[in-house]
Amino acid sequence: RSTPDGAFVFVLKKDRHGVTQFWRVKTSDGQSQQWTHNPSDVSTSFTISADGRWIAHGMDGSVCVTSCEDGRTIRVTESFGDDIEILPEAM
């Protein structure tokens, strides 16, 4: 998915430890970089906010947002636990 201005595309890719992370690709030159360094997999599809500042997604049983500016991830909810699973296509 791309930022509203089209400058960046965010994709999901495993890091060297096998954890699914966000990677940011600059559309002008194709340069990519690992954007998050979270201990748990991004576990759902994701949506970029209309202002291009945040990515909403699921991770480790919680709803989270990740900054498009610095890659910082913030949990918005506590974990729903093992009884409730966030559907992968939920965001």
Side-chain angles (χ1 to χ4, degrees):
R1 301 196 187 239
S2 68
T3 54
D5 62 6
F8 298 99
V9 174
F10 286 89
V11 298
L12 296 173
K13 180 179 164 183
K14 291 188 183 288
D15 65 14
R16 63 187 172 124
H17 303 291
V19 178
T20 303
Q21 304 284 355
F22 283 108
W23 292 68
R24 187 176 84 161
V25 180
K26 191 173 182 180
T27 57
S28 64
D29 61 11
Q31 292 288 330
S32 67
Q33 69 182 113
Q34 184 176 340
W35 199 243
T36 56
H37 296 84
N38 294 317
S40 301
D41 292 317
V42 174
S43 58
T44 65
S45 61
F46 60 94
T47 302
I48 298 176
S49 62
D51 63 8
R53 295 184 59 215
W54 298 99
I55 305 169
H57 61 91
M59 184 182 75
D60 197 26
S62 300
V63 175
C64 299
V65 292
T66 293
S67 170
C68 291
E69 297 170 2
D70 65 12
R72 176 178 44 110
T73 298
I74 301 167
R75 288 183 189 275
V76 177
T77 67
E78 295 293 321
S79 175
F80 294 113
D82 295 333
D83 296 337
I84 300 173
E85 182 179 345
I86 300 172
L87 296 175
E89 66 276 5
M91 294 295 157

